[in-house]
Amino acid sequence: MKTKLAGLFAVVLVAAGCHNPMNSVENAQKEGQRSMVSDQRVVTDMGLNRSVSVVGLNTAMTPGGVLKVQAELLNTTKSLHRFSYQFEWFDLNGMLVNNVVSPVVADQIEGGESKFISAIAPTPTCKDFRLKLLEAH
């Protein structure tokens, strides 16, 4: 009897999992909460802006006191889009840190995909940032 109940329970679990439309799992009791930035520190060219949007920006400090930035992007179309991005870094006074050159990173995002891109400031003197997003041609 126990074997039949265990088998029935397994079949019910498998059947329930097959009909679940969700394709991701997240912890309901989140320990790490996002600190979303609500300002306009993102520059996007008009071509890319029509298809890829910035859902949000999250900032944090590393244990060493260095600024860390994460941006969530969403491709609102059904097709793949290639793009490049670059972070610029600013000091406490809002001045561009000239001796810091962040690389331009080539990337892509599938249609309907949500994707995270991130960077860590190169020095602790960098207190702010700007993210440039450009469509690849």
Side-chain angles (χ1 to χ4, degrees):
M1 183 69 174
K2 284 184 180 180
T3 307
K4 285 185 179 181
L5 284 176
L8 180 62
F9 183 68
V11 169
V12 170
L13 283 176
V14 169
C18 292
H19 298 298
N20 188 351
M22 190 164 303
N23 61 5
S24 63
V25 177
E26 247 183 275
N27 185 356
Q29 289 79 34
K30 294 178 177 45
E31 290 190 27
Q33 295 294 321
R34 291 184 186 175
S35 172
M36 300 307 281
V37 178
S38 61
D39 62 345
Q40 299 296 320
R41 290 186 276 189
V42 178
V43 178
T44 307
D45 73 17
M46 293 306 290
L48 187 63
N49 197 33
R50 288 190 290 269
S51 53
V52 178
S53 62
V54 177
V55 176
L57 293 169
N58 190 16
T59 61
M61 297 302 271
T62 67
V66 179
L67 179 63
K68 181 169 47 172
V69 179
Q70 183 180 64
E72 183 177 6
L73 308 177
L74 175 65
N75 184 344
T76 58
T77 70
K78 294 181 180 181
S79 58
L80 173 99
H81 280 281
R82 289 180 171 79
F83 65 97
S84 59
Y85 66 91
Q86 180 181 33
F87 284 88
E88 292 180 336
W89 302 100
F90 299 90
D91 66 16
L92 187 61
N93 297 314
M95 302 294 290
L96 180 65
V97 180
N98 288 326
N99 60 347
V100 173
V101 178
S102 292
V104 175
V105 179
D107 206 340
Q108 65 186 27
I109 186 169
E110 294 288 340
E113 181 183 24
S114 175
K115 180 176 201 157
F116 289 93
I117 59 174
S118 61
I120 297 176
T123 68
T125 60
C126 298
K127 300 297 181 190
D128 206 357
F129 69 94
R130 177 170 44 213
L131 170 59
K132 290 183 170 181
L133 295 167
L134 301 168
E135 187 167 30
H137 297 285

